[in-house]
Amino acid sequence: MGVHFGVSTLFVFCLLALSANAREFRITARPGSDITSELSKLFKEACQCVDKSTVLIPKGEFKLGEIEMMGPCKAPIIFVLQGTVRADGNVNGKDFWVAFRRITNFRLNGGGIFDGEGNASWRANNCHKTSLTQCKRLPISIRFDYITDGKVRDITSLDAKNFHINVIGAKNLTFEDIRIVAPDESPNTDGIHVGRSDGIKIINTNIKTGDDCISVGDGMKNLLVERVTCGPGHGISIGSLGLYGHEEDVTGVKVVNCTLRNTDNGVRIKTWPSAACSTTASGIHFENIILQNVSNPILIDQEYCPWNRCNKNKPSSIKLVDIKFKNIKGSSGNKDAVKLLCSKGFPCKNVEIGDIDITYNGKDGPATFQCSNVSPKLVGKQCPKACSSPVTKLPGH
């Protein structure tokens, strides 16, 4: 017969734990066991404590099914993952594997691994070949929804079935010393996707994956990306923006001191033509970026239209304002070193290009710098020469 803990019982338990100076809620299952039920129970107990509590998954490998850890909690929560938790092969359940939701003063650390076991299910993901409304959506590995004043550090996300990490509705949340790993052919495995949040930091993080290393959705305010190494992957992307109605403005994005290696794109902003909304992306700043064999190193693409599901003759209604690309240097994987393809309906405003030095050694070279519907302010030196090349369409456009 199972033991049921009511709220009042948990409150007494926490007080006893406090008096014994033991506020740790530790997984006791043997390695190899499924800890889903035990972890759910322990988190609920910790969440009811009136003082700081720690939920601990010790070293070892454990099975973990879909789990939602929901606040609000009565006191700060520290979640320590020292071991490895492995997902099952289920692709027909919820849209997430692990979710942390509505928690204030939250910490996740411990050096452990979230293994999404995505290899067996990537063949079921055709979202990179068809529209998002028609494809089969696989579960996101780790969701952080409406977290306030949190820090996630020293964890690994391995082989996610879909996005590795998704953040929405968060405020003052920092990711530091994160490792994200998936093969370059793994579809839709964005490293960290953030949107509709304020005050997010992604620092000193290494991302190797099959899609955007970092992707920024609508409604993002005050994002700092610093000392991130990306590659393989699709680079660091703002957008795509404009696919849906009721999207919110993006403002205050700073990407600095980052390195991209062997990626399909470098730093880019992408918006849809015939956009479903008229929002603004402003205050976007890319600086001190090192490129190593990066295709499309600097890209503004306001004609982004995969799957041919838009009216390409109708210009994007997303406004791009106060955009800076400064001190970006290294080698390109194709001749399109810089492409600034802005909307003819709403040309980009206040774009600054400073100290760009991008080389290309391919047989179809030299490197090009293309501009459309934009007159950038030039600071320092630009190699290749700014806006000196005829505009060509991107592949797939």
Side-chain angles (χ1 to χ4, degrees):
M1 181 176 178
V3 178
H4 174 72
F5 292 97
V7 173
S8 59
T9 306
L10 291 175
F11 180 76
V12 173
F13 175 82
C14 286
L15 290 179
L16 291 173
L18 285 172
S19 64
N21 221 9
R23 291 163 285 175
E24 181 178 274
F25 297 81
R26 183 186 183 97
I27 291 291
T28 58
R30 291 184 176 182
S33 302
D34 188 321
I35 62 171
T36 310
S37 296
E38 184 182 7
L39 179 58
S40 179
K41 172 179 171 291
L42 290 181
F43 184 84
K44 289 175 182 177
E45 293 175 359
C47 193
Q48 291 299 319
C49 280
V50 296
D51 201 357
K52 183 186 296 183
S53 300
T54 298
V55 177
L56 174 65
I57 300 176
K59 292 183 178 180
E61 295 185 2
F62 302 92
K63 299 174 183 177
L64 183 64
E66 295 170 353
I67 185 168
E68 180 182 52
M69 286 167 275
M70 175 75 79
C73 297
K74 293 184 177 179
I77 292 281
I78 303 172
F79 192 105
V80 179
L81 174 62
Q82 295 178 341
T84 297
V85 290
R86 296 190 186 280
D88 56 29
N90 181 25
V91 297
N92 296 313
K94 297 180 180 179
D95 64 351
F96 64 87
W97 172 35
V98 178
F100 299 96
R101 289 179 162 152
R102 301 188 183 279
I103 308 170
T104 299
N105 294 320
F106 173 73
R107 300 290 184 272
L108 168 60
N109 55 52
I113 300 172
F114 291 90
D115 186 349
E117 293 282 358
N119 186 51
S121 56
W122 288 326
R123 62 180 176 270
N125 190 334
N126 61 346
C127 294
H128 58 303
K129 298 178 181 179
T130 185
S131 73
L132 294 178
T133 57
Q134 296 173 343
C135 68
K136 181 179 182 59
R137 303 301 298 273
L138 299 177
I140 292 167
S141 269
I142 316 166
R143 293 193 65 114
F144 298 92
D145 298 347
Y146 303 97
I147 303 297
T148 301
D149 297 330
K151 186 168 186 178
V152 180
R153 67 174 304 274
D154 191 23
I155 63 162
T156 297
S157 176
L158 176 67
D159 289 346
K161 293 181 175 70
N162 197 333
F163 290 9
H164 288 264
I165 293 172
N166 190 89
V167 180
I168 191 168
K171 187 172 184 180
N172 300 329
L173 176 60
T174 296
F175 295 88
E176 186 171 4
D177 297 321
I178 307 299
R179 296 165 297 278
I180 291 175
V181 182
D184 59 359
E185 68 271 15
S186 57
N188 296 101
T189 51
D190 288 41
I192 302 177
H193 177 79
V194 295
R196 302 212 175 189
S197 299
D198 190 348
I200 306 300
K201 297 179 181 178
I202 304 171
I203 301 170
N204 198 36
T205 286
N206 194 312
I207 302 175
K208 302 177 180 179
T209 194
D211 210 294
D212 292 337
C213 290
I214 296 172
S215 57
V216 181
D218 76 288
M220 188 64 235
K221 300 178 181 178
N222 303 313
L223 169 66
L224 173 64
V225 177
E226 184 173 11
R227 301 194 310 277
V228 168
T229 299
C230 164
H234 293 182
I236 297 174
S237 297
I238 313 300
S240 61
L241 302 175
L243 178 58
Y244 304 105
H246 309 293
E247 290 189 7
E248 299 177 5
D249 292 347
V250 173
T251 181
V253 177
K254 192 172 184 179
V255 179
V256 295
N257 302 322
C258 294
T259 299
L260 296 99
R261 299 190 180 109
N262 302 310
T263 54
D264 289 355
N265 298 283
V267 290
R268 65 172 171 166
I269 304 170
K270 49 184 178 175
T271 78
W272 288 75
S274 63
C277 58
S278 297
T279 56
T280 299
S282 63
I284 300 173
H285 187 173
F286 301 100
E287 185 170 4
N288 297 339
I289 308 296
I290 296 174
L291 311 165
Q292 297 176 7
N293 191 36
V294 171
S295 297
N296 307 311
I298 298 175
L299 177 60
I300 292 178
D301 181 7
Q302 293 207 261
E303 299 176 359
Y304 180 77
C305 186
W307 323 300
N308 293 317
R309 56 171 305 197
C310 60
N311 180 2
K312 298 180 183 179
N313 294 321
K314 184 179 178 181
S316 179
S317 56
I318 307 300
K319 303 175 186 69
L320 301 183
V321 182
D322 297 330
I323 314 296
K324 294 182 179 180
F325 299 95
K326 299 178 67 176
N327 196 30
I328 300 178
K329 301 179 180 181
S331 59
S332 177
N334 64 352
K335 67 185 296 183
D336 298 331
V338 184
K339 270 178 116 69
L340 308 181
L341 306 182
C342 295
S343 169
K344 62 182 178 181
F346 298 90
C348 298
K349 294 183 178 180
N350 300 334
V351 175
E352 181 177 317
I353 305 292
D355 289 318
I356 304 299
D357 188 0
I358 301 174
T359 61
Y360 174 64
N361 296 319
K363 294 181 180 179
D364 59 338
T368 64
F369 192 135
Q370 304 176 30
C371 299
S372 177
N373 303 305
V374 60
S375 298
K377 176 184 177 182
L378 304 180
V379 178
K381 297 180 180 180
Q382 292 80 39
C383 179
K385 185 178 178 181
C387 304
S388 60
S389 307
V391 174
T392 60
K393 294 292 184 181
L394 288 162
H397 285 55

